[in-house]
Amino acid sequence: MSEGHAKPLPAASPALQGPASVQPPIVEFRHATVRFGTFTAVSDINIAIEDLPNSGEFVTIIGPSGCGKSTLLNLLAGLLFPTEGQVLVRGEPVTGPGRDRGMIFQQYSSFPHLTVLKNVLFGLRINSRELNLTPKQQHERAMEMIEQVGLAGHEHKYPHRLSGGQQQRVAIARTLVLEPRILLMDEPFSALDALTRGTLQEEVNRIVAETKLTAFMITHDVDEAILLADRILLMTNGPQAKIAEVVVNTLPRPRTRHDVHHLPGYYDLRNHIIDFLVDRSKRLARTMPPEWNPRRVPGRFTNGLTHSAR
Ligand SMILES: Nc1ncnc2c1ncn2[C@@H]1O[C@H](COP(=O)(O)OP(=O)(O)O)[C@@H](O)[C@H]1O
Ligand SMILES: [Mg+2]
């Protein structure tokens, strides 16, 4: 499969920043609980991601299937609301979807009846008044984004003529062309073959670093989490799933999938997460002590940081 060569993205224009101490977190879950009828999916979720001017944080969530990972992402996307507690973006409760939060799903979410170019233009047209771009500027911005995700030359093709990896690149371009501040990803690479997955992981890693986006990604791939994330949140089995451990990934950047497993500490970190998934996620779901603090779990990978510098 030819994926083409991608050009670096320019950083998003820095937002006006006050002193860090008065800036609300860019993302905050405060005691968020979600019930579907009598079924409590997730319970008392607390997450804070700081809004720092020169670095976005890459946070991933790992947990057993069905524990409530998509539920958390949907709260942030504004597709779902907490039954109790709050979900805030920059200090404001989330009231619905917004252009500041771009979402990439596992399923390729491009329109099958539109070409690559028209798919990427779609959001720009919908938001044209707010973005204040002429049709010519919209076209230029869309073409630039298509080139940046490595799809130059494919802009007039329909999605069914593209490989799975290329279709996911269309979804990435559609999302990023609107310059979100927060990138939400729900197992975005899990439908792809290993080779394509690796290439796209590195693209997303590069884009997030260059644009200083805050990234919030669900994955069930431990290696993917270690490659991409600054912080890895480990969820217990549901019902009433909780964040049981907060793992700070201190492996140095830049990391590539070719070298990450050679970094000192890689296997300790990997084993810690896998042990959680095969054992502690179930045990803690049953017996998590009331005073349990996910940021104070014994062990070298967890600590009280709400943010780790890139
Ligand atoms: N709209 C819904 N109505 C009822 N139950 C739901 C709904 N959405 C999710 N659930 C349930 O909530 C739990 C968590 O789902 P989900 O967040 O999709 O899990 P994950 O993404 O971790 O696999 C599951 O038991 C699922 O069946
Ligand atoms: Mg899910």
Side-chain angles (χ1 to χ4, degrees):
M1 182 186 62
S2 138
E3 294 275 343
H5 184 71
K7 277 205 323 188
L9 281 168
S13 46
L16 288 174
Q17 297 289 329
S21 57
V22 301
Q23 197 78 0
I26 189 160
V27 166
E28 192 175 8
F29 289 71
R30 273 191 213 158
H31 303 291
T33 293
V34 175
R35 276 191 274 278
F36 298 108
T38 55
F39 175 80
T40 304
V42 299
S43 167
D44 196 23
I45 300 294
N46 294 286
I47 301 170
I49 305 176
E50 297 305 323
D51 191 6
L52 300 181
N54 294 315
S55 63
E57 191 181 6
F58 204 125
V59 176
T60 63
I61 294 194
I62 293 192
S65 177
C67 73
K69 302 180 294 296
S70 296
T71 298
L72 293 190
L73 208 73
N74 289 338
L75 288 173
L76 257 188
L79 302 172
L80 187 70
F81 300 95
T83 319
E84 283 168 30
Q86 283 184 302
V87 178
L88 309 157
V89 168
R90 286 192 162 132
E92 297 289 327
V94 172
T95 56
R99 196 162 56 80
D100 58 330
R101 285 152 289 137
M103 181 87 150
I104 298 172
F105 298 92
Q106 177 183 347
Q107 300 80 10
Y108 319 127
S109 51
S110 45
F111 295 116
H113 61 288
L114 297 179
T115 62
V116 169
L117 176 59
K118 286 188 173 158
N119 261 289
V120 178
L121 272 172
F122 185 84
L124 289 176
R125 288 188 173 149
I126 296 254
N127 293 284
S128 64
R129 196 180 292 255
E130 201 185 329
L131 290 166
N132 199 20
L133 295 173
T134 64
K136 183 162 176 283
Q137 288 168 326
Q138 290 173 19
H139 186 270
E140 280 166 8
R141 197 196 272 198
M143 289 300 286
E144 203 177 307
M145 186 52 66
I146 287 167
E147 192 178 340
Q148 281 163 352
V149 299
L151 286 176
H154 299 288
E155 56 270 13
H156 299 303
K157 289 185 185 164
Y158 287 88
H160 73 269
R161 287 194 49 209
L162 302 175
S163 69
Q166 288 170 325
Q167 289 187 46
Q168 199 57 316
R169 285 170 188 264
V170 178
I172 293 169
R174 280 188 47 174
T175 302
L176 291 179
V177 78
L178 296 175
E179 297 188 342
R181 287 304 307 135
I182 304 170
L183 184 58
L184 305 174
M185 293 172 278
D186 194 346
E187 306 195 15
F189 311 127
S190 53
L192 304 173
D193 65 86
L195 203 64
T196 310
R197 182 159 67 233
T199 314
L200 277 182
Q201 283 167 352
E202 292 196 338
E203 293 282 305
V204 163
N205 209 6
R206 172 183 67 81
I207 288 168
V208 168
E210 284 173 4
T211 56
K212 304 180 188 351
L213 279 168
T214 295
F216 197 83
M217 179 168 108
I218 295 170
T219 180
H220 57 244
D221 180 336
V222 175
D223 294 306
E224 180 169 285
I226 296 175
L227 175 66
L228 297 175
D230 299 307
R231 244 194 316 169
I232 303 166
L233 311 181
L234 302 180
M235 280 182 87
T236 64
N237 285 51
Q240 299 182 49
K242 296 171 194 68
I243 291 170
E245 298 187 17
V246 177
V247 173
V248 176
N249 185 356
T250 54
L251 298 181
R253 286 183 186 272
R255 303 189 282 264
T256 72
R257 73 201 146 98
H258 301 293
D259 69 15
V260 67
H261 55 289
H262 292 301
L263 295 172
Y266 172 84
Y267 283 100
D268 286 348
L269 182 57
R270 191 171 191 275
N271 288 342
H272 181 89
I273 298 170
I274 290 173
D275 287 342
F276 177 88
L277 290 174
V278 298
D279 173 31
R280 296 196 302 283
S281 62
K282 298 179 199 73
R283 207 152 35 85
L284 289 168
R286 290 194 303 271
T287 62
M288 203 147 101
E291 70 283 3
W292 186 268
N293 182 344
R295 296 190 180 127
R296 297 270 184 269
V297 175
R300 51 182 288 211
F301 302 111
T302 46
N303 68 25
L305 292 178
T306 54
H307 183 273
S308 67
R310 297 181 78 83

